[in-house]
Amino acid sequence: MAPKPILWIVIPCYNEEKVLPITAPMFLDKLAALTDAGKISPRSRVLFVNDGSRDATWEIIRSLAAKDERFIGISQSRNRGHQNAVLAGLMEAMDKCDITISIDCDGQDDINAMDRMVDEYLAGCEVVYGVRSKRETDTFFKRFTAEGFYKLMKLLGAEIVFNHADYRLVSTRVLKEFAGFEEVNIFLRGMFPMVGFKSATVYYERAERLAGESHYPLRKMLALAFDGITSLSVRPLSIITGIGVFFSLLGLIAAVWAVVMAIQGNTVAGWASTVCLVCIIGGIQLISTGVIGQYLGKTYMETKRRPRYIISERTWEKTGRRWLEGSEGEDKE
Ligand code: UDP
Ligand code: MG
């Protein structure tokens, strides 16, 4: 039998004791259905990442793992936030499977989109983004702020997929390249497009949380937005330089105007020289701040030590997909 890719579904969980007992069997059913359809290996797994929950989440995960070998779990020593929990799961999965799908544990992301994600992968894509086609179940406020966030990110130079959160299929081949991005402040949905490789999008409708409460109040959403912008782009610094140049020019014009006024004798003594100084010095200061900012931005980007190039294909390799080439995929434990 031809080898089939091993899939690990990676699910971050933080204080989810209410919803986990409902959604866990749904994930397992999906895994079984994909296996029965012959799309993935029977060695596929559902990996829960406990993000330092203070309720019974970890106990639930442990008992799930005891009941069915396809359920497995890891627990973080403390709460580190959604992004870090997903990262922990992906890094754990990296050497043990061929594809990962990250998804929230609250049932909001449509599990049925996984079939299409796997199809896209089998058709040659390495990254498949789950994109929300509608946000009708979100409140107007959440929808407005979330969509505004995507637009602002684009404006400020961050390349992200519109309305894509962290429901995403990523091959371990891409994960291995992604592991070269060593930055500490991570914003996954903006980083995967940077890694490149063939990608696709799959649309799904976002549903309501099946139980429990959201962990993303406005405060956390704003923090995530700010993190996203500042970790992906230094464009705000260029904007400062731009504003500096604009005001310097304005200052220069104002200076000429002040001199003309002074010559015409329309002003009190000392006015023209004061206005000239204020305008020009103000502009020069903004430009200087901007220039310092540009260097700072470069240093910032350098400190991330991101890979400078990533190879996606080589002529002497058949597909670049190890599991297709030999028994390796099937042999994994
Ligand atoms: N989550 C996490 N750590 C946190 C906050 C959230 O692992 O500190 C998980 C949570 O269990 C869920 C996912 O991240 O699986 C998304 O969180 P939530 O549903 O609360 O966010 P929303 O869908 O409301 O944006
Ligand atoms: Mg949710």
Side-chain angles (χ1 to χ4, degrees), residues 32-321:
L34 284 168
T35 311
D36 291 344
K39 289 181 182 171
I40 57 171
S41 157
R43 262 175 266 193
S44 300
R45 296 285 179 268
V46 177
L47 171 68
F48 295 105
V49 182
N50 174 35
D51 186 18
S53 302
R54 281 186 287 265
D55 63 2
T57 302
W58 182 235
E59 283 68 44
I60 296 171
I61 294 171
R62 289 182 65 122
S63 71
L64 285 169
K67 263 186 251 147
D68 194 308
E69 62 165 6
R70 287 169 295 172
F71 281 129
I72 50 177
I74 53 174
S75 186
Q76 292 207 85
S77 59
R78 52 159 291 180
N79 179 252
R80 299 298 298 265
H82 173 219
Q83 296 288 299
N84 295 297
V86 175
L87 179 72
L90 294 179
M91 290 300 111
E92 191 73 25
M94 192 167 74
D95 311 307
K96 305 179 186 85
C97 60
D98 303 296
I99 26 176
T100 58
I101 295 181
S102 51
I103 185 169
D104 291 352
C105 74
D106 55 12
Q108 284 196 280
D109 300 325
D110 180 12
I111 294 181
N112 295 320
M114 285 190 191
D115 299 69
R116 282 174 285 145
M117 286 184 167
V118 173
D119 287 344
E120 290 287 0
Y121 170 77
L122 294 172
C125 289
E126 301 287 339
V127 184
V128 186
Y129 300 102
V131 172
R132 298 160 191 174
S133 57
K134 278 193 211 143
R135 277 180 171 269
E136 272 163 15
T137 57
D138 283 341
T139 59
F140 171 77
F141 181 71
K142 171 113 188 179
R143 194 164 65 208
F144 180 76
T145 46
E147 290 187 350
F149 161 68
Y150 288 101
K151 289 187 183 134
L152 186 69
M153 296 281 294
K154 236 201 170 101
L155 210 69
L156 292 178
E159 186 192 341
I160 54 171
V161 181
F162 190 71
N163 263 344
H164 160 68
D166 283 299
Y167 185 17
R168 170 178 57 231
L169 178 149
V170 184
S171 72
T172 46
R173 192 173 158 217
V174 169
L175 282 180
K176 282 182 185 133
E177 301 295 350
F178 175 79
F181 288 64
E182 292 172 10
E183 55 215 80
V184 177
N185 289 295
I186 48 165
F187 186 67
L188 298 174
R189 69 189 78 165
M191 289 168 70
F192 279 106
M194 257 188 288
V195 184
F197 287 89
K198 196 162 176 230
S199 68
T201 36
V202 158
Y203 292 89
Y204 70 96
E205 279 179 36
R206 187 153 157 98
E208 251 164 299
R209 214 174 215 286
L210 292 179
E213 266 152 38
S214 168
H215 303 94
Y216 271 97
L218 183 66
R219 178 180 56 81
K220 269 204 195 170
M221 256 176 58
L222 286 178
L224 182 72
F226 189 73
D227 254 11
I229 291 164
T230 51
S231 44
L232 291 178
S233 144
V234 290
R235 193 173 288 175
L237 295 171
S238 316
I239 293 175
I240 294 181
T241 319
I243 295 175
V245 170
F246 177 76
F247 276 105
S248 303
L249 285 177
L250 217 65
L252 217 60
I253 295 168
V256 172
W257 177 67
V259 169
V260 172
M261 290 310 244
I263 292 171
Q264 288 179 351
N266 293 342
T267 57
V268 281
W271 178 84
S273 54
T274 313
V275 168
C276 291
L277 281 176
V278 168
C279 292
I280 293 173
I281 290 179
I284 288 176
Q285 277 180 339
L286 259 184
I287 292 184
S288 312
T289 313
V291 169
I292 294 173
Q294 298 285 316
Y295 282 102
L296 189 72
K298 288 250 156 66
T299 317
Y300 174 58
M301 283 305 177
E302 291 285 346
T303 57
K304 289 180 186 271
R305 305 192 63 82
R306 284 175 178 164
R308 279 165 295 183
Y309 59 87
I310 291 171
I311 310 289
S312 66
E313 256 149 303
R314 295 183 174 87
T315 53
W316 63 91
E317 282 174 0
K318 250 190 299 180
T319 61
R321 295 181 166 200

